[in-house]
Amino acid sequence: MEKRYFQPEIETMPVEQIKALQSERLVKQVQHVWDNVPYYRKKMEEKGVTPADIKGIEDLHKLPFLTKDDLRDAYPYGLMGKPKKDCVRIQSTSGTTGRRVVAFYTQHDIDLWEDCCARAIVAAGGTEEDVVQVSYGYGLFTGGPGLNGGSHKVGCLTIPTSSGNTDRQIQFMVDLESTILCCTPSYAAYLGESIEEKGFRDQIKLKAGIFGAEAWTQEMRQEIQNKLGIKAYDIYGLTETSGPGVSFECEEQTGMHINEDHFLAEIINPETGEVLPEGEKGELVFTSLTKEAFPLLRYRTKDLCVLNRKPCSCGRTHIKMSKPLGRSDDMLIIRGVNVFPSQIETVLLNEGMTPNYQIIVDRVNNTDTFDINVEMSQEMFSDSLGKVAEKEKQLVASLKAMLGIQAKVHLVEPKSITRSEGKAVRVIDKRKLYG
Ligand code: DLL
């Protein structure tokens, strides 16, 4: 099969050349930040580092980290690298002021961001023949605008449906014969379920999906692929680094290639900040090498990952990151035990349950309560009460085996858990642990 890339000269560049390019760009970027971002310059001065100390990527570790707390302290304009008159756009995460991330873009930043998204679309098999339905939210969220721009660059016919209005999504998908779907994995699962229910499975022409913005397991991938009859590709990014397209999967589906000409990745020990060797699990840290308006250096993502540079059959030479394996901050500690929501999802899907669930944690009489509501399939719902109770017992046992603690499992009616049109709300933690 002919291999296709959006920018082959960069995507298949020999590793030594990539590193040389990164070094050259890092030196320039550090000078840009030193000259234009007093907030970060001060951090460098406090650490006794000047641009003269940074001669290449081997010196990266000398630079101070940036965290979400810095973003909060510098909100709104304190980390900008260009004057307002040179910026053309902001994007933002949800969240209250202070917790909200606001990122800035020059036209050049948008252009490079869209290139990254275009690479992801081509890696998922996209060409100018494709009809790309972008069902990520548009507006402040980066998902819609990023994939929309990337789709234009590839020359695909782009349908900017945004998220929500599921009947209309399906109608467009059928009428316009969409071939690539871009949305969150939880919305893809919901669309798959709705398409099946409405009996449209034979009328959709989808071949691939580009899903990201939230954690999803291999089991969830399988479920979506089966329901929609497609190949489901992962895509990763965060508002702080532009949005989607920091990394993306190729046909191997074994991790996401990081766009290394724009983003320099490190893995650190989240406790100590020590840089870890390739192959070890730790917190992902990004340095943006080309961004003008919001040039973050050594930004701590809180996403726990593993990097690897084994050669890939697709021919791309850029390093791969694993799916995020959790966040150093989304981990729940229930009765003293560390619990990742993705572990719960794995158990539920392995047990043949639907991907519609909610984890509810509370504290009563100083003891944590741990409840999981899971929707039954329509068939299970018509089973006898005895059979349902038996299944609940079985799930409790499997969860105990995986997590080491007992959860109360409640099998609930089909459709009783609110569907998400963006990121699913999987965890309701009613305990007041902070502040
Ligand atoms: O979620 C950007 C995006 C949009 C990525 C569309 C992919 C597709 P934020 O809202 O700032 O940006 O959230 C960033 O979401 O630190 C991860 O914890 C999580 N995340 C993003 N992509 C993935 C993924 C967008 N593929 C935060 N798998 C990140 C797991 C992901 N988690």
Side-chain angles (χ1 to χ4, degrees):
M1 204 178 79
E2 187 211 355
K3 299 215 187 296
R4 291 190 80 257
Y5 309 97
F6 182 66
Q7 290 170 319
E9 69 290 357
I10 297 167
E11 294 181 85
T12 62
M13 188 181 254
V15 174
E16 284 319 305
Q17 276 182 40
I18 296 172
K19 290 189 174 174
L21 179 69
Q22 287 185 323
S23 282
E24 186 193 312
R25 289 185 170 175
L26 177 67
V27 170
K28 269 200 204 137
Q29 187 71 318
V30 170
Q31 190 65 53
H32 168 57
V33 170
W34 177 266
D35 293 341
N36 297 291
V37 186
Y39 184 94
Y40 195 79
R41 180 183 178 136
K42 187 160 166 261
K43 278 184 98 93
M44 282 175 69
E45 283 168 347
E46 279 163 9
K47 235 185 149 207
V49 193
T50 70
D53 297 312
I54 311 298
K55 299 196 174 61
I57 54 175
E58 64 285 0
D59 296 321
L60 183 64
H61 66 98
K62 296 178 183 165
L63 292 168
F65 290 119
L66 273 175
T67 63
K68 256 209 168 87
D69 287 343
D70 290 306
L71 263 53
R72 188 170 53 215
D73 291 348
Y75 178 86
Y77 287 126
L79 286 164
M80 241 171 143
K82 283 279 181 184
K84 263 184 269 176
K85 72 172 177 48
D86 293 339
C87 297
V88 296
R89 171 103 65 86
I90 73 144
Q91 300 286 164
S92 177
T93 59
S94 52
T96 53
T97 327
R99 292 219 135 246
R100 184 183 297 145
V101 174
V102 177
F104 302 91
Y105 304 74
T106 60
Q107 185 54 51
H108 184 63
D109 291 333
I110 289 180
D111 201 36
L112 299 185
W113 174 30
E114 291 178 352
D115 283 350
C116 290
C117 291
R119 289 180 194 173
I121 292 170
V122 173
T127 71
E128 61 283 352
E129 305 288 342
D130 280 295
V131 178
V132 175
Q133 185 159 335
V134 184
S135 312
Y136 284 113
Y138 279 65
L140 289 172
F141 181 56
T142 55
L147 269 308
N148 192 93
S151 176
H152 280 210
K153 285 215 168 188
V154 179
C156 308
L157 178 58
T158 310
I159 316 179
T161 43
S162 193
S163 56
N165 202 337
T166 301
D167 284 343
R168 192 179 63 187
Q169 299 275 0
I170 297 173
Q171 178 111 48
F172 271 119
M173 207 177 274
V174 169
D175 294 350
L176 300 181
E177 303 184 336
S178 308
T179 52
I180 298 181
L181 172 67
C182 305
C183 62
T184 55
S186 48
Y187 195 44
Y190 178 43
L191 278 168
E193 183 183 277
S194 306
I195 286 166
E196 198 171 73
E197 246 172 48
K198 293 182 198 316
F200 283 127
R201 178 71 160 77
D202 295 343
Q203 294 176 56
I204 61 162
K205 301 277 187 305
L206 287 179
K207 63 176 190 189
I210 303 177
F211 307 130
E214 63 183 355
W216 54 311
T217 55
Q218 293 298 351
E219 290 78 5
M220 179 107 169
R221 186 206 300 265
Q222 212 47 58
E223 163 113 12
I224 294 171
Q225 294 194 146
N226 294 344
K227 276 247 157 71
L228 289 169
I230 61 171
K231 210 163 160 178
Y233 296 86
D234 206 349
I235 183 166
Y236 170 90
L238 52 160
T239 311
E240 294 89 318
T241 58
S242 283
V246 168
S247 65
F248 59 86
E249 269 185 341
C250 62
E251 72 252 20
E252 250 201 18
Q253 294 180 308
T254 53
M256 296 177 269
H257 289 284
I258 295 174
N259 282 309
E260 286 194 280
D261 50 331
H262 300 302
F263 304 102
L264 180 50
E266 297 170 276
I267 293 286
I268 62 162
N269 175 329
E271 306 294 325
T272 63
E274 175 206 358
V275 180
L276 299 177
E278 190 194 310
E280 282 196 30
K281 178 176 159 186
E283 183 180 336
L284 189 58
V285 174
F286 280 115
T287 292
S288 74
L289 295 170
T290 47
K291 285 189 69 181
E292 298 177 332
F294 206 53
L296 302 189
L297 304 182
R298 299 197 89 200
Y299 181 69
R300 293 184 58 161
T301 64
K302 301 276 181 190
D303 291 314
L304 300 176
C305 287
V306 177
L307 296 179
N308 95 70
R309 204 184 268 291
K310 289 193 203 98
C312 184
S313 63
C314 77
R316 287 177 185 79
T317 46
H318 292 192
I319 201 164
K320 281 194 213 168
M321 59 178 264
S322 65
K323 264 181 181 300
L325 305 163
R327 283 178 62 83
S328 51
D329 63 355
D330 92 337
M331 188 177 71
L332 296 160
I333 303 181
I334 304 173
R335 296 178 213 138
V337 176
N338 298 351
V339 175
F340 284 101
S342 59
Q343 295 172 296
I344 295 171
E345 186 178 290
T346 297
V347 171
L348 296 178
L349 294 180
N350 280 342
E351 289 283 346
M353 300 305 297
T354 68
N356 303 311
Y357 64 92
Q358 215 152 38
I359 302 161
I360 300 145
V361 191
D362 204 349
R363 189 161 285 176
V364 179
N365 299 331
N366 286 327
T367 306
D368 289 338
T369 60
F370 179 24
D371 291 77
I372 303 174
N373 293 336
V374 195
E375 264 184 26
M376 285 182 268
S377 63
Q378 205 61 50
E379 304 91 83
M380 197 182 287
F381 188 51
S382 23
D383 279 345
S384 69
L385 284 178
K387 251 180 137 177
V388 170
E390 197 50 46
K391 186 72 194 173
E392 277 178 349
K393 257 189 166 162
Q394 192 182 323
L395 287 170
V396 170
S398 304
L399 285 160
K400 176 97 196 281
M402 168 73 104
L403 307 170
I405 53 165
Q406 188 98 4
K408 276 196 190 142
V409 175
H410 313 274
L411 294 181
V412 297
E413 277 185 37
K415 297 271 176 304
S416 58
I417 294 177
T418 313
R419 293 295 187 273
S420 123
E421 292 172 351
K423 298 192 192 213
V425 179
R426 300 293 194 202
V427 181
I428 301 175
D429 194 342
K430 298 182 179 165
R431 300 171 299 177
K432 297 214 166 25
L433 298 177
Y434 307 100

